[in-house]
Amino acid sequence: MPEYAPLALTPSRALRTARSITLLLAATIALFFLSTAAVAREAAPIADDPALEARVMAIAEELRCLVCQNETIAASHAGLAVDLRAQIRERLAAGESAEQIRSFMVERYGNFVLYRPPLEPATWLLWIGPFVLLLAGLGVFAWLVQRRRRDAVPPTAAVAPLDDQRRRQLDRALREATEPRT
């Protein structure tokens, strides 16, 4: 059987390999920049009037994003939040007050849309619930600590002195356990 010699890396082969790697790297970088351009979005529209935009953002800071739920619509980039900011902008431009806009949002989405819901019977659990849970947790912790202290054995009572008979039984058991069996 003939032996095959390993491919030698000649200068021309090295040059072709370097060109191929460079071309592949350039294509990868180009695809990266093209893909990021494809997902880029248009900047959010801002009112021509900076004072109007400040009022829009002040109201939007008080309203919860219904998609994100833990962000205000001012901070959210969700499509619904963008639409709600535009709606606030339109209503302010039409002459509505901030209170009228908040009332409209509550009427449409319920108290959940308010980032700081009012204290009323329907929201008592929301406002008082965390404190109740904290107190319950502290109560359980105190009960566990008290139970552990009550059930703990004092160090002096943990080891009772051995009488002679018990000592002989233990010595015999130890010898039997260590003696080789035949």
Side-chain angles (χ1 to χ4, degrees), residues 9-138:
L9 190 61
T10 62
S12 63
R13 182 180 287 268
L15 186 58
R16 282 194 310 260
T17 303
R19 283 183 187 156
S20 297
I21 291 173
T22 304
L23 184 61
L24 183 64
L25 184 61
T28 303
I29 291 171
L31 282 175
F32 172 74
F33 284 115
L34 288 174
S35 67
T36 55
V39 295
R41 295 193 308 181
E42 189 175 316
I46 297 178
D48 294 332
D49 183 8
L52 176 64
E53 191 61 27
R55 289 178 58 205
V56 167
M57 295 311 278
I59 295 171
E61 285 289 332
E62 299 175 13
L63 300 174
R64 180 184 316 274
C65 176
L66 299 170
V67 175
C68 306
Q69 297 186 4
N70 63 342
E71 280 186 305
T72 63
I73 64 171
S76 176
H77 297 293
L80 179 64
V82 172
D83 291 344
L84 289 176
R85 284 194 302 267
Q87 201 170 42
I88 293 169
R89 195 174 292 111
E90 290 170 9
R91 288 179 170 273
L92 284 173
E96 288 188 27
S97 70
E99 189 54 44
Q100 288 173 319
I101 294 170
R102 275 190 294 275
S103 296
F104 169 76
M105 294 292 183
V106 168
E107 186 178 304
R108 191 167 185 188
Y109 300 108
N111 276 334
F112 182 75
V113 77
L114 296 175
Y115 210 68
R116 292 172 201 87
L119 183 59
E120 55 188 32
T123 60
W124 283 352
L125 184 62
L126 179 67
W127 284 100
I128 300 171
F131 299 109
V132 170
L133 288 175
L134 178 65
L135 288 175
L138 288 173

